Amino acid sequence: MFKNMRKRWRAGLVAITALGLGLGAVVYTQGANAATWPTATGTVKLTATKSVSGTLDGGLKRYYGSGALGTDDQDEGQDPLFELADGATLKNVIIGSPAADGVHCLGSCTLTNVWWENVGEDAATFKGGSSATYTVSGGGAQGADDKVFQHNGGGTLTVKNFVVDDFGKLYRSCGNCSTQYKRKVVLSGITATYPGSSLVGINSNYGDTATFSNITIVDDTSKKMAVCVTYKGNNTGAEPTKLATYKGSTGGDGTYCKFTTANVTYK
């Protein structure tokens, strides 16, 4: 209940700001260390999922859900605002509120300069096969009660030059999907502002790996945020078991969570 109240508060603040200063004039940011977010050039209301093949350049317009897509809760099974075909690219898009289930990639995909003002269920979900490659380059996300990036399929996700603020997990390899894979995630040039629970959660029993470089954690004076958490995943739908937690002050294990203390800076 309190999470949904917090999300409605954030959504209301975005709407009030837009009305008071003109559509797209200001994008909500959290805290003094939040990124400078782009100014929206217009707004687009989506009442049904928009399918993308090839490249969609949104011109930094703000897209938001309405009707069946007009929710901002954490209910599983919501439809996305955008569904990307294998090989598709989505770029220069601001995803506003309500955001529903963000972006779904059905195969390999590229997300360039995509900004989530207020994450709905998840910001993006990656569903390709074992050889799929996904790239998130630039952009940022905030207001994720749980996950930002959900990796349900196989393959490798690379996230670079990305900012995240006020979130649960930046990335989670699915812990209990009916079909499981060995998944890889590579994070480089990430700036994460506390509060946040963890950057990455992976299933070491399936051979998942997470590789980190140039990670900056902001406003976490007690160093509570985990960089990498390993789990024992399953394909039965049961809650996965947490195995080990690695922070910036400890470094990783070198096998599944690949980073040293030199890869993480606190500010």
Side-chain angles (χ1 to χ4, degrees), residues 92-234:
N92 300 325
V93 165
I94 298 171
I95 295 181
S97 180
D101 200 27
V103 178
H104 285 187
C105 287
L106 302 184
S108 297
C109 69
T110 301
L111 307 179
T112 302
N113 198 35
V114 177
W115 300 82
W116 288 265
E117 290 181 344
N118 188 15
V119 174
E121 182 184 345
D122 300 313
T125 303
F126 303 97
K127 298 183 170 185
S130 57
S131 61
T133 57
Y134 325 93
T135 300
V136 177
S137 179
Q142 59 190 358
D145 285 340
D146 191 8
K147 305 172 298 293
V148 176
F149 297 129
Q150 175 72 25
H151 196 167
N152 289 348
T156 300
L157 169 64
T158 298
V159 184
K160 55 187 179 180
N161 304 323
F162 192 82
V163 296
V164 61
D165 179 19
D166 186 19
F167 64 104
K169 305 175 185 70
L170 175 57
Y171 167 92
R172 182 65 171 102
S173 172
C174 183
N176 54 13
C177 284
S178 58
T179 300
Q180 290 286 27
Y181 299 86
K182 176 181 179 179
R183 305 180 179 102
K184 297 181 180 180
V185 61
V186 179
L187 276 70
S188 176
I190 306 299
T191 299
T193 300
Y194 191 78
S197 173
S198 61
L199 293 183
V200 162
I202 57 174
N203 308 310
S204 55
N205 61 311
Y206 290 119
D208 291 356
T209 60
T211 304
F212 303 82
S213 63
N214 192 22
I215 305 299
T216 301
I217 298 177
V218 180
D219 283 351
D220 187 10
T221 55
S222 299
K223 299 183 179 179
K224 293 181 178 181
M225 189 188 301
V227 172
C228 188
V229 180
T230 59
Y231 294 85
K232 182 179 180 181
N234 63 76

Side-chain angles (χ1 to χ4, degrees), residues 46 49-50 52 56 63 80-84 90 93 102-104:
L46 295 178
T49 299
K50 186 173 183 63
V52 179
L56 171 63
Y63 290 78
L81 295 184
F82 295 94
E83 184 176 79
L84 275 58
L90 181 68
V93 165
V103 178
H104 285 187

